[in-house]
């Protein structure tokens, strides 16, 4: 399997029925620990994810607690959405989810934190913004402690021998998958066998291209998103903002460094628009881009 969250989900699901062992192959070197990562960023990265309560619950209490402890998780419990051409707006708060949580239809990640729940605020979360690098580091730290997982980092897959398509789905189980790889650091080759191979190695998946037979369907929406991190003049009060413009929405999302201690405040911007306008925005000097952003948020 490739993908830290995927490995966790496989183990959590399988542990309910029978023991399972997972090998996680990663082409890059293992990420730094959260402690090593803590002091390396001058500002939040624009490569981040706005995660729903359900997605946060999949991450698990250990990584989530580590993200909060190292101040790399921008929790929001309020959201404001409005149009560009009228007074109508929508406002959501975490307590809007209370009934779904009480009925068991929605997970509350705060409940997973137990005694540390106050780290993320007092009420249910609407979501949280988490950067890619801290999320990967937090997940790897937990996976390193799980004896059921073999972490094989900095490796390059050389070949995959999989069952024939006509043998899949029969009463007799198909033969195992055999995968050979090279350790880039030592240049040594090795191989593993498995009953299940999960291809979670991105849109240009090597596994999919090698094994073949996986249909794909793509659709272009004619839109691009410009993402960046901006410094803001005042705190966001754990609120995510989204304004719909004629060509697409602008989202202003709270991240770590929201200025609760009087320090510098940051937010992540995701500006979805046409490809031509996105290219124009990317070409602007920083001060002109900020003026355009403020104009479209405030007009």
């Amino acid at each position: 399997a490739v993908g830290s969250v995927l490995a966790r989900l496989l183990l959590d699901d399988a542990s309910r029925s029978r023991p399972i062992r997972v090998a996680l192959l990663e082409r890059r070197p293992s990420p730094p620990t959260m402690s090593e990562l803590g002091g390396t960023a001058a500002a939040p990265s624009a490569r981040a994810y706005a995660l729903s309560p359900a997605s946060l619950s999949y991450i698990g209490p250990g990584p989530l607690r580590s993200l909060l402890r190292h101040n790399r998780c921008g929790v929001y419990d309020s959201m404001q959405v409005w149009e560009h051409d009228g007074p109508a707006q929508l406002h959501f708060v975490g307590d809007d989810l209370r009934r779904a949580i009480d009925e068991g239809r929605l997970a509350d990640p705060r409940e997973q934190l137990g005694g540390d729940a106050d780290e993320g605020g007092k009420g249910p979360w609407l979501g949280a913004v988490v950067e890619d690098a801290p999320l990967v580091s937090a997940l790897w730290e937990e996976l390193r402690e799980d004896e059921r997982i073999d972490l094989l980092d900095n490796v390059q897959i050389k070949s995959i021998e999989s069952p024939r398509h006509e043998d899949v789905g029969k009463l007799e189980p198909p033969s195992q998958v055999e995968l050979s790889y090279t350790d880039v650091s030592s240049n040594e080759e090795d191989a593993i066998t498995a009953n299940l191979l999960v291809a979670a190695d991105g849109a240009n998946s090597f596994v999919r291209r090698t094994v073949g037979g996986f249909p794909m369907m793509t659709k272009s929406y004619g839109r691009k998103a410009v993402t960046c991190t901006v410094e803001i003049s005042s705190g966001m009060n754990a609120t995510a903002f989204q304004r719909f413009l004629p060509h697409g929405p602008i989202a202003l999302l709270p991240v770590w460094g929201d200025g609760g201690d009087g320090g510098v405040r940051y937010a992540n911007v995701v500006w979805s628009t046409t490809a031509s306008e996105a290219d124009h925005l990317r070409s602007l000097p920083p001060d002109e881009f900020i003026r355009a952003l403020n104009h479209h948020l405030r007009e």
Side-chain angles (χ1 to χ4, degrees), residues 51-95:
L51 301 176
S52 68
S55 296
L56 290 167
S57 67
Y58 290 147
I59 292 174
L64 187 55
R65 188 176 291 110
S66 179
L67 290 166
L68 288 168
R69 186 170 61 249
H70 289 88
N71 193 26
R72 304 304 291 266
C73 184
V75 173
Y76 54 93
D77 55 18
S78 177
M79 186 172 185
Q80 181 175 324
V81 184
W82 73 105
E83 291 277 6
H84 72 286
D85 58 353
Q89 62 177 274
L90 297 172
H91 188 74
F92 304 96
V93 294
D95 281 330

Side-chain angles (χ1 to χ4, degrees), residues 23 42 86 108 114 191 202 226 251 281 290 292:
D108 183 2
V226 177
L281 292 171
I290 292 299

